[in-house]
Amino acid sequence: MPLCSKYIIGNIAICWGNCVGRLVHTSLFGTSALLGEKIKSMFYHAYNSYLDNAYPYDELRPLTCDGQDTWGSFSLTLIDALDTLLILGNHTEFQRVATLLQDSVHFDIDVNASVFETNIRVVGGLLSAHLLSKRAGMVVEPGWPCSGPLLRMAEDAARKILPAFQTPTGMPYGTVNLLRGVNPTETPVTCTAGVGTFILEFSALSRLTGDPIFEDVARKALWSLWKTRSEIGLVGNHIDVISKKWVAQDAGIGAGVDSYFEYLVKGAIMLQDEELLSMFLEYDKAIKNYTKFDDWYLWVQMHKGTVSMPVFQSLEAFWPGLQSLIGELDSALRTFHNYYSVWRQFGGLPEFYSIPQGYTVDKREGYPLRPELIESAMYLYKATGDHIFLQLGRDAIESIEKITRVPCGYASVKDIRDHKLDNRMESFFLAETIKYLYLLFDPDNFIHNSGLDFEVGTGPSEDCVFGAGGYVFNTEAHPLDPAALHCCSRKQEERRELQDILLNLSEPLANPQETQSQKTDTETEPPVMDSSESIALKPGTSRKSPLLSCPMQPFSARLAVRGQVFTDST
C-alpha cells in the first residue's frame, strides 16, 4: 500500500498524497473509469467550443458563440487549460498549444491587467506547463527545468507586474498597465488576497531562474500584511497599500481573503518554510475563536470579533481541503457536509448563502462554475477514501451537464434558483473545475504519485529528481513540482559558492600587522582592487567578505571560468 508523502515543518508533519489505502470496490473502479471518460468529453466540448468560436480572445461567450478579452488579451483559456490537457493524457495537443503560445502570446501590450489574476492564471499556468513539458514529450533545452521558453514567458509576465510592488509598504497595487506600469491615478486599495497570493509562483520563479527579486517582493508583501493584523489576530478584506489602513474590516475566509491563507499553508509545504506555517496557525486560532459557529465560518468585524455577515460564500468551500493538508480532518469533514447540503439544495453553490435563512442572498444568486467544493472533495477523498466525496463528484457532473451545457460550451449560472444562464465561461472552468473532477475519479493519475515513480538525472545535476509527486496546486489549480525548485535552487547555491571561492582566491593576502591595523583603525577603508583583478564579480556587484579562511582549495574548485587555471600558489 503506498504511503503518503510526508513533510516535516517544525514539529508538525504535513501529509500530501495518498495517505489512506483506497477502499474502493472493484465495481466502483469501473464506474470511476466511465465517469472519467464523461469528464473528458465535458472538457473537450468546452475546449473545442473555445477554439472554434473564441480563440484568440481570453474567454468563450457560450450563449452567443463568440469570445471576449477579460483579463488582458493573453488567449487566457489556452494558458489555463494547458496543464489540464496533460492531466487528461493528451500529449499531442499539449505540445501543439505550448508551441502556439510561444509564437503568439506576448506581454508588451498597452493593457491594464489585474496583478492577482495575471499571477495565478498566466504566470502560474506557464510555470506549470514548463515543469510538465518534458513529461508531455516536448524536447527540452539543456539546463531544463532551470531554463526553457515557457519559463521565460512566465518570467516576462511576472516582470510586467513587478512595478505594482513599488509601494512604501511592499504591498502591491491591484492593477498595472503591462506597458507603462502603475497609473498615477490608480487606487491604492486592494483586497487581502491581492497582497498575499504570490509566494508560490514568485518563489518558483526565483528558484528556477536564480533571480531573487520575485521571491523577495512576495515575502515583503506577506510580511507587511502580517504586521497589519488586529489585536485579536484577524485581517480585514481590503487594505490601503500605501497607508496600511484597513478600508474594509470584515474578517473571514472567503472572497477577498481566501487564497492568502491558502498560500501560507501551500507555501510552507512547497518551500519547507516553518515561518509561513506558523503564521497560518496563528490565523487559524483566531479564525476558530471568532468566525467559526457550528462548523460554518461567518464574517466578523476584525477588531471586535462581532458578526457582520452571517453568510457562507462559495469561495469558502476550499477551506475543508486546506484543513486536510494540516491534518484537521474531523473539522474539515463537518464543514464539508454543511457546504455539500447547500449544493444539494440548489444543484450548485450560490455566491452568497444566508446561514440563518437557509437561502440565497439577493443579487448573489449566481454559480459561475466554481471549483472549490470539488477541490475539497478531491483532497478529502485522498485523505479518507470515503465514497461521499465521489457522490459529490457525480452530483457535480450531473448538475453541470443538465443545467449549464449549451451548444457552444458551458455557461455560468446567473441565478441558481431558476437556473437562468449567463453569457460567460471563465477560464477556471477548464483550469480547475474539470481538472479537480477528473482527478477525483482518477486515483492513478501521475499527479497523485506517492513517490514510487520518479525520474533522475535530467536536470542540471545528474542526481536531480523530478515527478516524484508532492505537486502543490496554486489557487488556479496549476501544479508545481517542488523537486524541480530544489534542483535549480541547488544549482544556484553551487554557483554562488563557486563565486565566493573565486572571490576568496582573488583577494590579496594581508599580513597579520596590516590585518590588526585594519581592525583597530575604523576610519581605514578596505583595500580596493582594480576591476580587472576580480574574475568572480560583475561590474557593480557588491563585494562580500570571504567565506573561507584558507586560500587552498581542492583542484576541482580551482577551475577555469574564463580560461584561467588556479594553482596552489595563487
Side-chain angles (χ1 to χ4, degrees), residues 6 40-41 54 64 86 155 180 184-185 194 200 222 295 318 354 427 453 535:
K6 183 178 288 186
K40 279 187 179 182
S41 73
T64 52
L86 181 62
E155 182 180 4
R180 296 191 296 271
T185 62
L200 290 183
L222 278 181
D295 298 307
F318 84 102
S354 171
S427 66
D453 299 317
I535 62 170

Side-chain angles (χ1 to χ4, degrees), residues 538-542:
K538 295 180 180 179
T541 305
S542 59

Side-chain angles (χ1 to χ4, degrees), residues 152-169:
R152 288 188 286 274
M153 287 182 69
E155 182 180 4
D156 187 22
R159 290 196 185 280
K160 292 296 183 181
I161 60 176
L162 273 182
F165 291 83
Q166 295 173 4
T167 65
T169 64

Side-chain angles (χ1 to χ4, degrees), residues 251-325:
I253 61 170
V257 186
D258 47 2
S259 52
Y260 171 43
F261 298 135
E262 177 187 0
Y263 273 40
L264 291 177
V265 173
K266 291 182 176 179
I269 294 171
M270 188 177 83
L271 305 174
Q272 291 292 278
D273 191 312
E274 186 174 350
E275 183 181 41
L276 295 180
L277 181 61
S278 297
M279 292 164 71
F280 174 79
L281 294 176
E282 284 298 310
Y283 280 128
D284 196 36
K285 290 178 186 177
I287 289 167
K288 290 173 181 173
N289 286 338
Y290 295 101
T291 76
K292 187 177 181 181
F293 296 89
D294 294 331
D295 298 307
W296 296 94
Y297 293 85
L298 312 183
W299 289 83
V300 303
Q301 210 283 337
M302 65 177 288
H303 295 289
K304 301 175 183 178
T306 53
V307 175
S308 59
M309 290 191 297
V311 300
F312 156 61
Q313 298 179 354
S314 61
L315 285 170
E316 297 171 15
F318 84 102
W319 191 257
L322 191 69
Q323 286 181 301
S324 75
L325 298 183

Side-chain angles (χ1 to χ4, degrees), residues 553-565:
Q553 302 297 333
F555 182 76
S556 60
R558 291 180 277 107
L559 47 78
V561 289
R562 293 184 183 172
Q564 304 92 333
V565 177

Side-chain angles (χ1 to χ4, degrees), residues 183-230:
N183 191 305
T185 62
E186 177 64 29
T187 175
V189 177
T190 191
C191 67
T192 306
V195 174
T197 309
F198 295 91
I199 193 66
L200 290 183
E201 297 85 359
F202 275 31
S203 290
L205 265 179
S206 284
R207 299 187 183 209
L208 291 171
T209 65
D211 189 339
I213 183 63
F214 303 106
E215 184 169 348
D216 287 348
V217 299
R219 286 189 180 275
K220 184 177 181 181
L222 278 181
W223 184 244
S224 291
L225 192 56
W226 169 252
K227 291 189 289 187
T228 65
R229 66 196 188 283
S230 70

Side-chain angles (χ1 to χ4, degrees), residues 1 53 97 100 157 175 306 308 320 343 350 445 475 506 517 540:
M1 181 184 298
N53 299 284
V97 172
L100 176 64
T175 303
T306 53
S308 59
W343 179 286
N445 196 278
T475 198
S506 63
S517 173

